[in-house]
Amino acid sequence: MRRRRTRRAGSRARPRLVALAGITGISAVFGRNYGLTLAVLVTGPLAAGAGAFGTVSTVLAVGGILGAVLGARLHRPSVRHVGALAAVGALLQVAVGLAPSLAVLLVLVLPMAVAESVSDTAGTAVLQTDPPAHLRGRVLGVWNGIGTVWGLAGPPVLGLLMELAGARGALVSGGLLVAAVTGAGLLTAARRPLQPPPASDTPTHPTPLPATLGREPLGTAA
């Protein structure tokens, strides 16, 4: 009986983890590699130097810290929160790719880093709390392995994209792709009918009736 209950719990958690993996994977490949894309954007189209990119990196770090603090205040983070924040960060990435000057870039980089940091923090919370207890270690191990693949795949893909479309084109197209995929997933989840909560697997025992219930009262002697 316990094995059947744990299998049912794992099957209920699996779709959420698959959706979380999809959001995290596409965001890791087509975004988040700002050490590569923003470096080329700042030193190339914006015609700034290494010091300007250092300032951009500082703003990114500040936004990441603020986002982590805000993400820690989420009481019940969900995959929908992760997807919505990832979409917001991706749209800000599109705006960053279209920034006409370094000043505008700095203004846009801060909220982008905040949104993506909150999304990452919420995703980590979901990953660590959603799987059943007996599968949590296995899920985290597989997740770390998949994260390594994403980290290795992202730079070559973005490098090829920048070679074909430039730094601005890579940021814009990558942000649009992430926003489109996560937005489509959120719309699909919103249209899906809500499932009733699963019945409790804990057996319920009937409440024993009082000993005197159902008995006729004893008559008094005449």
Side-chain angles (χ1 to χ4, degrees), residues 11-110:
S11 64
R12 289 195 296 266
R14 193 172 300 117
R16 293 190 291 270
L17 296 179
V18 171
L20 181 62
I23 295 170
T24 306
I26 193 171
S27 299
V29 173
F30 294 98
R32 312 295 177 88
N33 288 286
Y34 299 127
L36 177 63
T37 54
L38 289 184
V40 178
L41 177 65
V42 170
T43 58
L46 296 181
F53 177 67
T55 303
V56 173
S57 300
T58 302
V59 175
L60 280 172
V62 172
I65 295 173
L66 293 176
V69 173
L70 293 176
R73 298 180 65 87
L74 293 176
H75 296 289
R76 297 185 62 181
S78 65
V79 178
R80 292 186 180 183
H81 292 150
V82 177
L85 290 166
V88 171
L91 292 177
L92 288 171
Q93 176 180 322
V94 174
V96 164
L98 299 175
S101 65
L102 182 62
V104 176
L105 177 67
L106 292 174
V107 171
L108 293 173
V109 158
L110 181 62

Side-chain angles (χ1 to χ4, degrees), residues 159-179:
L160 179 61
L161 195 57
M162 284 192 297
E163 184 177 351
L164 297 175
R168 292 187 184 275
L171 285 167
V172 171
S173 59
L176 289 176
L177 181 60
V178 174

